Amino acid sequence: MTKSSKGSTSSRRRFLKVAAAGAAASVAAPTIVSAQGPINMRWQSTWPAKDIFHEYALDYAKKVNDMTGGDLKIEVLPAGAVVPAFGLLDAVSKGTLDGGHGVLVYHYGKQTALALWGSGPGYAMDANMLLAWHKYGGGKELLAKLYASIGANVVSFPYGPMPTQPLGWFKKPMSKVEDFQGLKFRTVGISIDVFTGLGAAVNALPGGEIVSAMDRGLLDAAEFNNATSDRVLGFTDVSKICMLQSYHQNAEQFEIMFNKAKYDALPDKMKAIISNAVDAASQDMSWKAIDRYSKDYEEMQTKDKVKFYKTPDSILQKQLEIYDQVVEKKSAENALFKEIVESQLAFAKRATQWENDTVVNRRMAYNHYFGPNAKKKT
């Protein structure tokens, strides 16, 4: 072998050693990442463990856990496990919790404008349309600006459009506005101001505390949310009269919240999964709500002997009038409140005109198939 060929062989051997080392490193790298284990997050909801709302929180966590293949594991505790329901925002912002599931109106005491995501008539929008405003009409940017204004270290994802909420549970049917005078009533958000304007003595309580307060006489009446939640929380044990339809929370949705530092540290792939899981859980929640709420609504009438009444138009009209007065007052006091209201109004004007002109009223079809004069199907 010549000197030249010996040098060539030596160089080739060195190259092969380096290549082999590089290959070994590339094979070992995923093992090192895998050895670090999954990212674990401890969350809390603002709901009792037995409430369907806590189930929604668990549904979202499962979607994320499954979609990440277990690389991100979210554990969701019920209300009160770490902090009280109304303490969720502070706990997530400070990092006491990594995230949570609740509603924006529960943060009303921090910044009144946060209640505009669901507490009120929605300017004739339903909750799904309000979410459309949030995602495509400027709401997302305004919410980030709002949280920044109060120093909240959170990333927020409103989702899960709720159907129109009942006026509430009462000792007797509400026939006129004057019936609210002096009534000890539970509600939250801007609805506090609306029902106060109707003459009620309002007390804001988390969902898990309402029925016991009614049972002890601390409340005369209360609203919470829907047939399934109201039934499982025990409203049918303390009242047999429920008034349906109201403008106080006509367009509410849930909120999924992350501690911002924890969220920002996640890989981009996980952030994408989190965002897409929000949309998937939002639709899935809507489908589950239709199924479960309709079953419990039927059983409350047949098994629990609850009587349902439609809220009189005179009360609904008064709600709108008082809401406008509250908004005018708060807009004068809070520039961000005013900016959000103006954004919602602009979006609602075109969106609701489109909806009212386009979507057929389903009441006629309902009466045709199921009303008193419906042709009986054999």
Side-chain angles (χ1 to χ4, degrees), residues 44-63:
Q44 183 187 293
S45 80
T46 53
W47 322 114
K50 61 184 177 180
D51 187 7
I52 193 172
F53 285 2
H54 187 68
E55 188 177 328
Y56 295 151
L58 296 174
D59 288 345
Y60 175 74
K62 186 177 187 305
K63 281 181 171 57

Side-chain angles (χ1 to χ4, degrees), residues 247-308:
Y247 283 124
H248 78 280
Q249 283 173 315
N250 172 59
E252 193 175 10
Q253 62 288 132
F254 294 102
E255 178 187 36
I256 288 167
M257 186 194 307
F258 288 84
N259 172 269
K260 191 174 188 303
K262 188 86 172 185
Y263 177 85
D264 288 346
L266 294 174
D268 289 342
K269 183 177 179 179
M270 282 191 184
K271 291 177 183 175
I273 288 172
I274 283 167
S275 178
N276 284 287
V278 167
D279 293 343
S282 188
Q283 187 59 72
D284 184 49
M285 186 230 88
S286 299
W287 295 329
K288 179 179 279 191
I290 291 169
D291 177 52
R292 297 276 286 279
Y293 297 176
S294 61
K295 286 178 182 175
D296 280 301
Y297 177 60
E298 185 175 68
E299 291 194 359
M300 279 199 287
Q301 295 172 78
T302 58
K303 293 183 179 180
D304 303 326
K305 308 304 179 185
V306 172
K307 292 184 178 180
F308 290 93

